[in-house]
Amino acid sequence: QGVENKIDVERAMGRLSRREAAVLYLWVTGYSQAEIGEMMGVTHQRISQILENICKSSEKLDVNYRD
């Protein structure tokens, strides 16, 4: 299943903006929303919104990210 998830994430990242892809990459590699927000100069709430938007768009692709 790990390989399938990697393929799904790579496929989905190709459809994301540069900023969304960066947020997703940092999140799936283990950074918290607060840490990502600090790195990107935005609030953790904004990171949460970005991740929510990514998840909503991924539902159309049937992509699953970190459980």
Side-chain angles (χ1 to χ4, degrees), residues 12-57:
M13 286 185 76
R15 298 176 186 215
L16 301 176
S17 71
R18 186 173 284 189
R19 183 180 198 180
E20 290 171 329
V23 169
L24 178 59
Y25 174 80
L26 291 169
W27 187 67
V28 298
T29 56
Y31 288 92
S32 71
Q33 292 179 18
E35 291 169 324
I36 298 167
E38 187 174 320
M39 285 184 250
M40 300 188 87
V42 298
T43 65
H44 74 277
Q45 291 95 341
R46 179 64 186 128
I47 298 302
S48 180
Q49 290 172 341
I50 291 169
L51 288 169
E52 184 177 327
N53 290 339
I54 292 169
C55 289
K56 283 180 183 176
S57 66

Side-chain angles (χ1 to χ4, degrees), residues 2 7-9 11 16-18 25 44 54 59-61 63:
I7 292 168
D8 287 345
V9 169
R11 181 181 65 189
L16 301 176
S17 71
R18 186 173 284 189
Y25 174 80
H44 74 277
I54 292 169
E59 288 171 2
K60 297 174 190 170
L61 298 173
V63 175

